[in-house]
Amino acid sequence: MTAAVPTDADLIARHVSGDPQAFSELVRRHRDRMWAVALRTLRDPEEAADALQDAFISAFRAAGNFRAESQVTTWLHRIVVNACLDRVRRKQARPTVPLPETGLNEPATPRDSMSDRETRLVIDEALAQLPEEQRMPIVLVDVEGYSVSETATMLGIAEGTVKSRCARGRAKLAKVLGHLRNPDAIANVSGSESKRTRRGDM
């Protein structure tokens, strides 16, 4: 009979009890998703990698304080977000790091089509244009699927603030990403212009 797969909460409990493999398994399960949050938030692979490392070290040490009042993933997200916020505060006095032109440091997603990868890069570039205070709530609410209440808890701000920042950020994203809603628009315009040009040449 196959042994039951331990839940995330089981792994936390085992880690606290001294199991040397439990936390590594927890990291393996959630590393890619946490990495995506850190990268979208900080926009720099090196900063994101450092923040993620800091977050997992903090989680390793603080596992004994975990209470099953929320899911382990929510708890991990909160730690990752806090690690990113710490990095943001530290680099505020420094020049903004340019958005990397490629996603070579992102976890591989072989099942994605080339079109999906290109769309994701466009969205990430659009997110990078938002101010930090708008980007972080949008990443958590719209990308990661957390509720406004959970996001407010993670960021330490009021729910109303989360809503207003998301609204402002979405308005900006709508302008930048409008072509994704109607991808044929540009092609149609180009086609019409070329037809008009040909008619004019006749």
Side-chain angles (χ1 to χ4, degrees), residues 138-150:
I138 283 182
V139 167
L140 291 172
V141 175
D142 293 341
V143 179
E144 295 301 317
Y146 282 100
S147 69
V148 170
S149 176
E150 290 172 321

Side-chain angles (χ1 to χ4, degrees), residues 19-40:
D19 184 337
Q21 303 300 322
F23 194 80
S24 295
E25 171 61 20
L26 192 69
V27 170
R28 187 193 65 77
R29 286 184 185 181
H30 302 294
R31 180 179 53 230
D32 286 359
R33 187 176 178 187
M34 300 302 154
W35 163 256
V37 171
L39 187 60
R40 284 193 174 103

Side-chain angles (χ1 to χ4, degrees), residues 114-132:
M114 181 64 73
S115 176
D116 289 338
R117 287 197 294 273
E118 289 176 352
T119 299
R120 189 171 64 250
L121 285 173
V122 170
I123 292 173
D124 284 347
E125 288 177 2
L127 284 169
Q129 296 179 37
L130 297 178
E132 303 278 359

Side-chain angles (χ1 to χ4, degrees), residues 7 27 43 46 69 88 106 125 129 133 140 169 184 201:
T7 65
V27 170
R43 298 176 293 152
E46 291 185 9
E69 298 168 356
V88 168
E106 285 196 61
E125 288 177 2
Q129 296 179 37
E133 65 174 19
L140 291 172
D184 295 328
D201 291 339

Side-chain angles (χ1 to χ4, degrees), residues 108-189:
T109 50
R111 290 179 298 175
D112 284 356
S113 67
M114 181 64 73
S115 176
D116 289 338
R117 287 197 294 273
E118 289 176 352
T119 299
R120 189 171 64 250
L121 285 173
V122 170
I123 292 173
D124 284 347
E125 288 177 2
L127 284 169
Q129 296 179 37
L130 297 178
E132 303 278 359
E133 65 174 19
Q134 293 173 12
R135 183 169 67 253
M136 297 188 77
I138 283 182
V139 167
L140 291 172
V141 175
D142 293 341
V143 179
E144 295 301 317
Y146 282 100
S147 69
V148 170
S149 176
E150 290 172 321
T151 300
T153 299
M154 288 185 201
L155 298 179
I157 57 180
E159 292 184 23
T161 304
V162 172
K163 293 178 182 178
S164 63
R165 290 180 180 179
C166 282
R168 289 197 298 271
R170 287 169 188 150
K172 293 178 182 177
L173 289 176
K175 294 178 182 178
V176 177
L177 299 174
H179 64 283
L180 293 181
R181 294 182 180 180
N182 187 11
D184 295 328
I186 297 176
N188 291 338
V189 170

Side-chain angles (χ1 to χ4, degrees), residues 71-82:
Q71 294 193 11
V72 172
T73 50
T74 303
W75 175 72
L76 284 174
H77 265 92
R78 187 178 301 122
I79 293 174
V80 171
V81 167
N82 285 335

